[in-house]
Amino acid sequence: MRAAVSLAMSLAFQLAVSPAVCGDRVPGSGFMGLELQAMQADPSSNPASLWVADGKTLWNTAAGIRQKSCADCHGDAAVSMRGVAARYPSPVKGTVRIISLHQKITECQTFRQRASPSEPENHDGLALETYVGVQSSGMPIEPPHGVAMDRAIATGRRIYFQRQGQLNLSCAQCHDQRAGQHLGGAIIPQAHPTGYPIYRLEWQTVGSLQRRLRGCISGVRAQPPPFDAPSLINLEVYLMYRARGMLLDTPAVRP
Amino acid sequence: MFSARLFLALFAAAMPSIGVAQDNADLGRAIFQDRQLGLCLLCHPDPAASMSPQADLAPPLNNIGARLSAKDIKEHLTSPDKFNPQTIMPAYGRAQGLTNVSRRFVGRPILAPNELDAVVAYLSQLRAP
């Protein structure tokens, strides 16, 4: 068991130390210095490991009116949650409504546990999402297919190429056309959502992809949509589609 | 952001009338370098500093005063799209025709007219080939 864990850790270490470049697409870690890459790759130095550990505890803790734990229904997360984060956001079965992984987790909290759902960026919610996310680490991003997804991709792409805010800039102008260059002192990455939730040094905490997106939207002095707003979900869907086939490296560390 | 602006206003008001032009250029430099006000250093490297990493999305302006008249510099600030329709540089006096502007900034240009003039005064002094 111990040996398997340390083998998995050293494999993960090697994966992240040479960021998994996929054609012309480079994950965010490929734009970081070696020190940060090493911090991300080694669970003993990756600050997000704390969130993974908390997530594991929560996974096994009974909660809500039903006093059920996630594990009571899903068993071992390493088995039941493997690959799940690689295909979210996903349509709700039998509908065209697309929800994020965070929303899926809050659905189980609300309807399966009868507990109160984690607010966006709440510690426990992020811990659970990070723990679920880590089960897909090393797996390729594989968005589902279908009409609802196609529509979300198209809307997300439109937002991505739309100039907005007082600075009148589109996501594409930075992340497609100027990746690798410097905005102020920061290197512009390609905006691939491979590592979420991430530990960001600037935040000094773990945060979601939507928090990151809202940051970029505020950065151009545009009005950020509220968490879980359809436009943010559509952007997430487009980014996952754009990064399809790239390997997840949750939990990533960013400057 | 508000306090930076207030500081700059006080700074300008406190200056006696000797060397008014120089004061205005100094104010312009402060606006240019302020990452909440001028935002120039998001894209342009700072002609007054060599620390790295520096922005590299736009050309250095070290010699701009020798190359362009004050009038032309101002036009670059207010209508950068005249020179490059695909430019990423925002039009500094513009407040209309933009999409989804944050409530904090809606209806306001990035720089007020007097701030623009101060930046032009600063840039006009940059003559280092």
Side-chain angles (χ1 to χ4, degrees), chain A residues 19-28 30-31 175-180 188-192 242-246:
Chain A
V21 176
C22 194
D24 294 341
R25 295 175 303 169
V26 180
F31 295 92
H175 291 296
D176 288 359
Q177 297 163 17
R178 288 171 183 80
I188 303 176
Q190 291 179 356
H192 295 303
R242 187 171 160 269
R244 65 197 180 281
M246 294 180 77

Side-chain angles (χ1 to χ4, degrees), chain A residues 163-203:
Chain A
R163 282 176 174 244
Q164 60 173 320
Q166 196 191 36
L167 300 197
N168 202 26
L169 288 169
S170 70
C171 318
Q173 283 178 305
C174 282
H175 291 296
D176 288 359
Q177 297 163 17
R178 288 171 183 80
Q181 290 177 248
H182 293 82
L183 175 77
I187 297 191
I188 303 176
Q190 291 179 356
H192 295 303
T194 56
Y196 286 80
I198 57 165
Y199 184 93
R200 188 162 182 231
L201 300 183
E202 194 182 304
W203 295 335

Side-chain angles (χ1 to χ4, degrees), chain B residues 80-99:
Chain B
D81 46 339
K82 259 197 194 159
F83 303 92
N84 172 10
Q86 257 75 61
T87 189
I88 53 164
M89 179 159 154
Y92 271 84
R94 185 170 161 199
Q96 307 302 325
L98 300 166
T99 304

Side-chain angles (χ1 to χ4, degrees), chain B:
Chain B
M1 152 97 210
F2 176 74
S3 61
R5 213 167 226 143
L6 187 65
F7 168 76
L8 290 168
L10 291 174
F11 170 78
M15 292 292 165
S17 54
I18 28 151
V20 174
Q22 185 54 43
D23 299 342
N24 205 33
D26 287 347
L27 173 65
R29 172 173 162 170
I31 294 170
F32 181 89
Q33 292 180 330
D34 190 313
R35 285 174 193 245
Q36 299 298 320
L37 262 181
L39 308 170
C40 315
L41 298 186
L42 284 180
C43 299
H44 293 275
D46 187 353
S50 55
M51 82 326 183
S52 64
Q54 289 242 20
D56 55 12
L57 303 181
L61 300 170
N62 303 44
N63 195 33
I64 196 77
R67 286 188 29 238
L68 299 179
S69 68
K71 185 173 158 286
D72 289 344
I73 291 178
K74 184 157 182 180
E75 199 166 17
H76 271 282
L77 297 189
T78 53
S79 313
D81 46 339
K82 259 197 194 159
F83 303 92
N84 172 10
Q86 257 75 61
T87 189
I88 53 164
M89 179 159 154
Y92 271 84
R94 185 170 161 199
Q96 307 302 325
L98 300 166
T99 304
N100 190 33
V101 176
S102 142
R103 280 193 280 276
R104 281 172 61 208
F105 299 104
V106 75
R108 287 169 35 195
I110 300 174
L111 291 179
N114 64 317
E115 292 171 328
L116 265 177
D117 289 338
V119 172
V120 172
Y122 165 61
L123 293 183
S124 300
Q125 289 188 341
L126 295 177
R127 291 153 193 266

